[in-house]
Amino acid sequence: MKRVGVLALQGGWAAHLRALSDVGCEPVEVRRADQVDALDGLVLPGGESTTHLLLVERFGLRPALDAFVASDRPVLCTCAGLILAAKAVHHPDQPSFGWLDVDVARNAWGRQVHSFEAHADGDDLPLLFIRAPRLERVGPDVEVTARFEGEPVMVRQGNLVGASFHPELTPDRRVHRALFG
Ligand code: GLN
């Protein structure tokens, strides 16, 4: 059974644990750097990205996370996780890890309503947005795997998948299954 970690410092990590169980993985709550290398996959959940950055720094997790991404094992970054993984972050500007060659604007889908549910263009994949980041730039080596109203909302680059929505909060398990199932 694959052991997949969810960064459990803050935010929406609990629903990812359930989604991982649903696709037959053993979910692991990750709070320490020494837990990371033993995992088969990793999830950076939603939440508040500024707080995430501070806690990753405080708990000394950054080198272990960087090494995990470089090891080519699957990593899912949702919402605030996508903000952490991006190359550049705007609205407001904020440091990030630069794993994924995209630029994001924070809270950019939130102008319509704070949260809303929709479906991906040409698909029945449910999209739940909670003050979600917008993908402002997608690099040439990044594949767009879902769009909403023509705009990218899920991307893949090598072992990394980034989603601006919350696949863990809807019953559809395709996103978790594709990466970790
Ligand atoms: N608005 C949050 C941020 O900028 C992300 C929202 C979420 O993860 N649901 O960090």
Side-chain angles (χ1 to χ4, degrees), residues 2-8 16-17 20 26-30 35-36 39-45 68 74 76 180:
K2 285 187 193 162
R3 296 180 79 240
V4 178
V6 183
L7 193 63
H16 277 290
L17 301 176
L20 290 166
E26 181 192 335
V28 180
E29 296 174 26
V30 174
Q35 294 177 282
V36 177
L39 301 169
D40 299 308
L42 182 65
V43 178
L44 265 61
F68 191 87
L76 173 62
F180 306 119

Side-chain angles (χ1 to χ4, degrees), residues 46-49 79-80 83 106-107 130-131 166:
E48 169 49 49
S49 57
C79 206
I83 296 169
R106 297 175 60 195
N107 303 313
I130 305 173
R131 295 184 60 76
H166 287 269

